[in-house]
Amino acid sequence: MYDDQLLDRDPQTALAEFKAGPFSGRAEVRVTPVGILAIGALMTGVLLSTALVVWASTSVGRARASRR
């Protein structure tokens, strides 16, 4: 294998199972370290863009409040 963790292509797996009364669920995921970085970058972009949307949508209210 490689010495560098980022170049390691072995997938990592996670399994989650739950049961609540008559309902049950199971989810399994396999992802490589590079995939984890991609998911992290995607989530960072989503969170930053959400913050900008909230700021832009409340800026009109802030502008009206400052005029009073």
Side-chain angles (χ1 to χ4, degrees):
M1 287 273 96
Y2 302 103
D3 289 334
D4 190 1
Q5 294 272 334
L6 291 177
L7 297 176
D8 187 13
R9 302 288 183 190
D10 291 337
Q12 298 181 13
T13 61
L15 174 67
E17 294 182 23
F18 73 92
K19 185 171 185 176
F23 302 106
S24 64
R26 176 186 165 116
E28 185 175 352
V29 135
R30 278 183 233 125
V31 68
T32 62
V34 175
I36 292 172
L37 287 175
I39 292 168
L42 177 68
M43 290 305 300
T44 300
V46 167
L47 292 173
L48 288 174
S49 64
T50 302
L52 290 175
V53 168
V54 169
W55 181 82
S57 68
T58 58
S59 64
V60 173
R62 284 194 308 267
R64 287 183 187 163
S66 67
R67 287 186 212 158
R68 292 179 185 183

